[in-house]
């Protein structure tokens, strides 16, 4: 007999994926669907993040197939429990899931939702600080196969504990919603939190992913752990990274070799990667002094094989967001081997004082000229290409003249 539970705040029963959970009734707190501020309701719940949760289910399913053994999962910032409950219900070969939240009302609501879905035998729930939970499970026999860090704001305060609580070849998933620092609006805050300098450029969302990935590599290396980024994306108001870890000094050293800097010229939009941002700051195309971002991750931020497996896994599911997921993954697949950073056509047009042109015509023109050019999921008007900044400008002018 499941104990009846009644919240002392307005709530409602919702269905998501294959589960049914009780959540705060957001309309009673003046929260609209696009409003993700956690302070309005007594327990945090964001319906917009269903897309994020669906992708997480797919990513963890794909990882489980990759390692081909039973897995354990920890989500130490669970709120009302919907993520962990979905993992327990929708992912096969999950032996145990540990959830926790320091918020008393969240803990009570999560326990109700675990009971409501009859998952008491598979899910354990604690009422503790996230770092406390992770640190208490850092010994080799207690570690997890997957740890999901999904906070409101930065995941950095939890990364150190998370890496210590992961098994060898385990998977860490991290979300960051504090895009203002990561995108260069608050430079000092980004440096404090992530140890990397951002830049306010048209490709700042890719920089955000790379700064977080670089921070993860630095923190993991302190524990002789290396990382490999399997999947990352920028959606709505957040970025998300899925990285597989490997124990060993050499693995950690290899990860650190994948960190560096990006130099950017705000005059002609030229950019390049480097391991030494101060050796030559003069733009080779226009002679202007360049700015830099980093240290950050300069290796791949998506693994093509893993993305292909995600696409296959998505076809086997019937999420409400499946079409959106397919669109995202298909675009990411085309850019897995593309050059770092992207050009936003509106920014190029503004720089040249020319009207907007078609994204597809720009890509086709570059491809016909022998360049690699693809769209990026970071921005619908963004183009990843190995063409030089000068070539970008001349191509834009050519198309604009043809359209005039």
């Amino acid at each position: 007999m499941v104990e009846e539970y009644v919240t002392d705040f307005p709530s409602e029963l919702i269905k998501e994926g294959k589960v049914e959970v009780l959540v705060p009734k957001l309309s009673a707190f003046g929260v609209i669907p696009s409003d993700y501020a956690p302070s309005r309701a007594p327990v945090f719940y964001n319906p917009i993040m269903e897309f994020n949760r669906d992708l997480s289910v797919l990513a963890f399913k794909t990882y489980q197939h990759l390692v081909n053994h039973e897995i354990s999962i920890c989500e130490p910032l669970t709120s009302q429990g919907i993520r962990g409950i979905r993992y327990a219900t929708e992912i096969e070969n999950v032996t145990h899931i540990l959830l926790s939240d320091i918020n008393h009302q969240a803990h009570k609501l999560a326990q109700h939702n675990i009971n409501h879905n009859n998952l008491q035998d598979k899910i354990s729930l604690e009422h503790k600080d996230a770092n406390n939970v992770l640190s208490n499970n850092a010994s080799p026999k207690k570690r997890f196969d997957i740890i999901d860090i999904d906070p409101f704001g930065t995941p950095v305060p939890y990364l150190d504990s998370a890496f210590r609580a992961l098994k060898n070849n385990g998977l860490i998933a991290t979300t960051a919603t504090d895009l203002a620092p990561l995108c260069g609006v608050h430079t000092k805050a980004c440096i404090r939190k992530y140890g990397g300098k951002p830049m306010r450029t048209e490709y700042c969302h890719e920089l955000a992913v790379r700064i977080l990935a670089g921070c993860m590599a630095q923190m993991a290396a302190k524990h002789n752990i290396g990382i490999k980024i399997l999947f990352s994306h920028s959606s709505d108001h957040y970025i998300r990274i899925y990285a597989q870890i490997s124990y060993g000094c050499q693995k950690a050293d290899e990860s650190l070799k994948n960190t560096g800097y990006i130099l950017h010229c705000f005059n002609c939009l030229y950019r390049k990667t480097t391991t030494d941002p101060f050796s030559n700051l003069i733009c080779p195309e226009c002679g202007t002094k360049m700015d830099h971002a980093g240290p950050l991750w300069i290796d791949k931020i998506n693994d093509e094989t893993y993305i292909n497996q995600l696409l296959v896994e998505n076809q086997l599911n019937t999420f409400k967001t499946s079409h959106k997921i397919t669109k995202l993954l298909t675009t990411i697949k085309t850019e897995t081997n593309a050059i770092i950073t992207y050009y936003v056509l509106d920014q190029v047009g503004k720089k040249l004082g020319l009207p907007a042109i078609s994204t597809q015509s720009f890509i086709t023109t570059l491809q016909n000229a022998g360049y690699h050019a693809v769209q990026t999921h970071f921005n619908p008007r963004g183009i990843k290409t190995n063409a030089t900044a000068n070539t970008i400008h001349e191509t834009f002018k050519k198309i604009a003249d043809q359209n005039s």
Side-chain angles (χ1 to χ4, degrees):
M1 182 73 177
V2 177
E3 180 183 353
E4 184 177 356
Y5 170 73
V6 179
T7 62
D8 54 4
F9 52 84
S11 57
E12 61 183 342
L13 206 59
I14 61 106
K15 291 183 178 180
E16 182 179 296
K18 295 182 179 180
V19 307
E20 186 178 70
V21 295
L22 193 66
V23 299
K25 190 172 184 177
L26 298 183
S27 59
F29 302 96
V31 178
I32 58 176
S34 60
D35 187 347
Y36 53 90
S39 58
R40 302 267 187 98
V43 176
F44 180 63
Y45 165 65
N46 188 356
I48 298 297
M49 294 295 272
E50 179 176 356
F51 176 70
N52 180 305
R53 292 187 285 269
D54 288 346
L55 268 174
S56 298
V57 170
L58 291 179
F60 294 173
K61 277 186 173 183
T62 300
Y63 167 79
Q64 195 281 319
H65 296 327
L66 181 69
V67 297
N68 195 30
H69 59 65
E70 293 181 330
I71 59 174
S72 58
I73 302 173
C74 179
E75 190 211 353
L77 299 161
T78 196
S79 189
Q80 72 315 109
I82 190 169
R83 279 180 177 272
I85 289 168
R86 288 194 60 186
Y87 298 156
T89 305
E90 299 175 35
I91 303 174
E92 296 180 356
N93 297 312
V94 175
T95 57
H96 176 245
I97 295 178
L98 175 61
L99 305 181
S100 181
D101 204 287
I102 198 169
N103 180 291
H104 178 66
Q105 289 180 301
H107 178 263
K108 288 176 60 179
L109 187 54
Q111 187 63 67
H112 164 78
N113 286 328
I114 292 168
N115 296 342
H116 183 76
N117 287 275
N118 297 311
L119 292 169
Q120 301 93 320
D121 293 337
K122 186 174 283 190
I123 298 178
S124 300
L125 177 67
E126 296 186 359
H127 181 209
K128 294 180 180 178
D129 170 77
N131 279 319
N132 185 305
V133 171
L134 293 168
S135 295
N136 286 342
N137 289 276
S139 60
K141 292 185 178 180
K142 290 185 176 182
R143 292 172 185 159
F144 303 97
D145 295 282
I146 297 176
I147 294 178
D148 190 349
I149 305 296
D150 187 67
F152 180 80
T154 176
V156 174
Y158 314 103
L159 292 181
D160 189 78
S161 300
F163 282 122
R164 290 189 292 110
L166 265 179
K167 294 179 182 178
N168 191 29
N169 298 317
L171 184 74
I172 182 170
T174 60
T175 304
T177 64
D178 58 332
L179 293 189
L182 285 165
C183 286
V185 178
H186 306 302
T187 300
K188 291 181 179 179
C190 186
I191 294 172
R192 284 198 310 272
K193 294 178 182 179
Y194 297 92
K197 176 183 172 296
M199 276 194 301
R200 294 194 68 180
T201 65
E202 63 271 28
Y203 53 88
C204 66
H205 287 88
E206 180 175 349
L207 288 180
V209 169
R210 293 185 178 279
I211 289 172
L212 173 56
C215 175
M216 291 170 66
Q218 293 279 355
M219 297 191 77
K222 295 175 183 178
H223 302 287
N224 294 327
I225 293 173
I227 68 168
K228 177 183 178 181
I229 310 299
L230 297 180
F231 173 40
S232 68
H233 66 101
S234 171
S235 302
D236 302 320
H237 61 275
Y238 65 92
I239 58 172
R240 180 114 161 128
I241 293 177
Y242 300 82
Q244 188 173 22
I245 73 157
S246 299
Y247 281 100
C249 299
Q250 290 185 335
K251 296 292 185 180
D253 291 341
E254 289 171 11
S255 281
L256 293 180
K257 288 179 183 178
N258 293 325
T259 60
Y261 300 82
I262 292 177
L263 301 182
H264 179 86
C265 176
F266 282 94
N267 183 54
C268 72
L269 305 183
Y270 169 85
R271 67 289 301 266
K272 75 169 186 177
T273 59
T274 181
T275 55
D276 184 357
F278 308 112
S279 60
N280 188 358
L281 288 173
I282 303 303
C283 175
E285 295 200 14
C286 73
T288 303
K289 185 177 179 180
M290 296 184 288
D291 199 355
H292 75 280
L296 45 71
W297 188 259
I298 56 174
D299 198 22
K300 291 184 178 181
I301 52 174
N302 283 290
D303 180 81
E304 188 172 4
T305 300
Y306 193 78
I307 301 302
N308 283 331
Q309 293 172 328
L310 284 175
L311 281 163
V312 171
E313 193 65 52
N314 188 44
Q315 292 176 348
L316 303 176
N317 290 270
T318 55
F319 299 136
K320 288 187 290 185
T321 65
S322 287
H323 178 72
K324 184 179 178 182
I325 289 173
T326 298
K327 184 178 179 181
L328 172 72
L329 294 177
T330 301
T331 303
I332 287 177
K333 179 182 175 180
T334 66
E335 60 178 309
T336 51
N337 297 312
I339 198 167
I340 292 176
T341 77
Y342 53 91
Y343 293 85
V344 176
L345 294 186
D346 297 335
Q347 185 69 19
V348 177
K350 181 180 179 182
K351 178 67 66 175
L352 298 175
L354 295 172
I357 63 173
S358 163
T359 304
Q360 190 54 53
S361 66
F362 190 82
I363 291 175
T364 301
T365 302
L366 285 177
Q367 290 174 340
N368 290 340
Y371 295 102
H372 183 251
V374 295
Q375 277 187 285
T376 176
H377 84 280
F378 287 107
N379 189 312
R381 295 279 286 164
I383 308 294
K384 280 181 168 283
T385 179
N386 59 349
T388 65
N390 284 336
T391 301
I392 297 291
H393 296 166
E394 294 306 316
T395 303
F396 196 105
K397 291 175 184 177
K398 176 182 176 181
I399 296 173
D401 286 343
Q402 292 173 348
N403 293 342
S404 62

